Amino acid sequence: MGKIELDWANLGFAYRDTACHAEYVFRDGKWDEGKLVESPYIPVHIAATGLHYGQECFEGIKAFRRKDGRCSIFRVWENAKRMAATAERLCIAPVPEETFVEACKRVVAANADYIPPYGTGGSLYIRPLLIGTGAQIGVAPAKEYTFIVLVTPVGAYYKGGLQPVKAIVLDDYDRAAPLGTGHIKCGGNYGGSLYAHEMAKRMGYPVELYLDAKTHTFIDEFATSNFLAITKDGKYVTPDSTTVLPSVTNMTLMQLAKDFGMTVERRPIDFEKEIDDFAEVAACGTAVVVTPVNSITRAGKERVTGPATGCGPVLEKLFHAVQAIQYGEAEDVHGWNEFVDC
Ligand SMILES: *Cc1c(COP(=O)(O)O)cnc(C)c1O
């Protein structure tokens, strides 16, 4: 394989074909050994349950070229666990956690040339995908599943510092029903939220915040990322809700905040009662780590939730602490990095 020349500094977050992806098939009650496939297309049966009945789920992870030249994947075991939990809720045959991690490492190693070099701020985004591929027309779980791991190089999201965005609460839409699927990472949650997302974008808000569907009182999360706030008295607060996705980034930030000696509270957050107590607010997730949110608008009323420009000091510190561990610039005391030989 020849060295790949990409404009590493300007990759953005767009899909690019790479050398190959991995495919594992579950058939006759067991997973096969998997294989690497060059073509970015898969032949799918027209009656596959993944196409008709939403038997589909995914994950998002990142691999990094480190300061010491090695490569590591960040907290991949957490994603393995989460996909297994998601699969169970969708009656999909779960991928054993060891197989999941092995598949990620295998695809990253086979695409080593696509890992953005250290210093460019980029990473190799890993997208595991698990779909029902067995043909079925009656509504029931499929007997056959395909597990795919694809990768694509992505650039630094922020150039020249973290930039804040404005958020909106659209009270006419909900993301997740109280006893529904908000806590799992299934494609259906995304399909159901695109309409409100496009509407928010047209109104000039890059992100939309959801309140709990039952009472519209408590904060749940943004459409594709968790909500966290730094209160004016310096606490890290994030919602305790059964309808938000357990974000690995949020878990990471909570741990680092504790390591810094901050008080971390996971509890119900009443939007109207607490919105004016926040010094900094962010949306967090694997793709960008943190997106500072400096105002939230609800029912035509805009509330200030952070500095007008740039990023607040606590979020800034947390963001750099995460990146330093990911790029091997700081000690990984919690053992979050999984090394790949490549
Ligand atoms: C993926 C996702 C997140 C972020 O999770 P990370 O593990 O931090 O990437 C948050 N909320 C929703 C709804 C998601 O789908």
Side-chain angles (χ1 to χ4, degrees), residues 275-335:
I275 190 74
D276 296 323
D277 298 341
F278 303 144
E280 303 175 42
V281 165
C284 73
T286 296
V288 289
V289 185
V290 292
T291 304
V293 173
N294 65 0
S295 93
I296 304 177
T297 296
R298 183 184 188 193
K301 193 170 163 198
E302 182 174 7
R303 324 293 260 280
V304 172
T305 54
T309 57
C311 177
V314 180
L315 287 174
E316 180 94 38
K317 183 173 161 184
L318 287 168
F319 172 77
H320 289 294
V322 174
Q323 294 242 294
I325 296 169
Q326 292 175 329
Y327 287 112
E329 297 159 353
E331 200 191 337
D332 179 15
V333 294
H334 298 288

Side-chain angles (χ1 to χ4, degrees), residues 58-61 79 82 125 175 182 184-186 189-190 221-226 243-251 284-287 289:
F58 67 97
E59 277 297 331
I61 315 166
N79 299 86
R82 189 169 71 189
Y125 184 75
R175 186 189 83 93
I184 61 165
K185 206 166 180 75
C186 61
N189 289 343
Y190 281 68
E221 65 174 323
F222 298 98
T224 63
S225 46
N226 271 191
T243 51
V244 306
L245 190 85
S247 152
V248 178
T249 312
N250 199 3
M251 284 168 41
C284 73
T286 296
V289 185

Side-chain angles (χ1 to χ4, degrees), residues 48 55 69 71 91 95 97 107 111 123 174 188 216 222 229 246 319 325 328:
Q55 270 201 305
C71 167
C91 296
V95 177
E97 289 170 33
V107 179
N111 289 285
S123 56
D174 291 318
H216 280 214
F222 298 98
F319 172 77
I325 296 169

